[in-house]
Amino acid sequence: MNALFFPYLPRNPYQPNLAKALEEKGVSVTGVKDISLRSFLASVKGQDILHLHWTHPYLLAAKVFPTIRKSFCFFLVLVFQKVKGKKLIWTIHNLGEHEKRHPLFELYCHKFLAWLADGIIVHSQYARKKVIDVYRLGHQTDKIAVIPHGHYIDNYPNQITPTQARDKLGIEAD
């Protein structure tokens, strides 16, 4: 089985760690580092699963008309890929873009994307409930999987002892 992560942002250990775990289960993972729709299309061939992580690079632009054009093209490509038999998985890391450039438009796009997705991943039961409520998925809750966020323990050096950490943070030893 082949999975395509898009966008693939390896600066944060989350996606490399997830890719490694999937590869250990026999899934071949490819990542699209360039966020253009052209790069995404060039990477789709041979993939079984399209795994979307962050939507704003594909949906949003600074101004309204480019945002509408960008999102329309993105959804056209996704629908075409689904017609070709690809499965779409969306990990919802955030309900919306932090910058909130076009929040109402983004909400409608996310509702459509949630309906279009074959599977949705969230990292907690609380997030699952929020996704169901905000995207109105009461009739499609079976497609939502709760997969706890992985740890970063091995990704960063541990250069402080528990005692030093407690002292620095003002936490009692017990």
Side-chain angles (χ1 to χ4, degrees), residues 14-94:
Y14 173 81
Q15 286 179 305
N17 289 350
L18 178 59
K20 181 181 176 196
L22 288 171
E23 287 169 348
E24 288 171 0
K25 300 286 185 189
V27 178
S28 174
V29 177
T30 302
V32 180
K33 291 180 185 176
D34 179 356
I35 60 170
S36 72
L37 200 52
R38 183 171 290 140
S39 292
F40 169 72
L41 277 171
S43 304
V44 167
K45 187 174 183 178
Q47 302 298 327
D48 305 302
I49 297 171
L50 308 177
H51 190 157
L52 175 62
H53 285 272
W54 292 279
T55 62
H56 61 276
Y58 302 103
L59 295 176
L60 304 175
K63 297 190 179 197
V64 174
F65 181 71
T67 292
I68 293 169
R69 184 184 67 231
K70 191 175 193 176
S71 59
F72 176 79
C73 291
F74 179 63
F75 282 122
L76 192 65
V77 166
L78 288 183
V79 169
F80 180 69
Q81 293 304 317
K82 285 193 47 94
V83 167
K84 289 175 63 175
K86 312 282 185 194
K87 297 295 182 191
L88 176 62
I89 304 298
W90 179 24
T91 294
I92 300 178
H93 296 278
N94 307 93

Side-chain angles (χ1 to χ4, degrees), residues 80-148:
F80 180 69
Q81 293 304 317
K82 285 193 47 94
V83 167
K84 289 175 63 175
K86 312 282 185 194
K87 297 295 182 191
L88 176 62
I89 304 298
W90 179 24
T91 294
I92 300 178
H93 296 278
N94 307 93
L95 291 174
E97 179 194 40
H98 298 298
E99 291 74 19
K100 299 186 184 322
R101 289 181 284 182
H102 309 287
L104 188 58
F105 182 80
E106 184 181 23
L107 175 63
Y108 288 118
C109 287
H110 282 178
K111 285 180 179 180
F112 179 70
L113 185 57
W115 172 81
L116 188 65
D118 296 289
I120 295 172
I121 297 170
V122 295
H123 296 306
S124 69
Q125 287 296 335
Y126 178 80
R128 183 179 189 276
K129 183 179 179 338
K130 289 298 285 185
V131 164
I132 290 167
D133 293 345
V134 171
Y135 299 149
R136 302 184 195 258
L137 294 175
H139 60 290
Q140 292 184 303
T141 59
D142 58 327
K143 72 161 75 175
I144 304 171
V146 176
I147 301 174

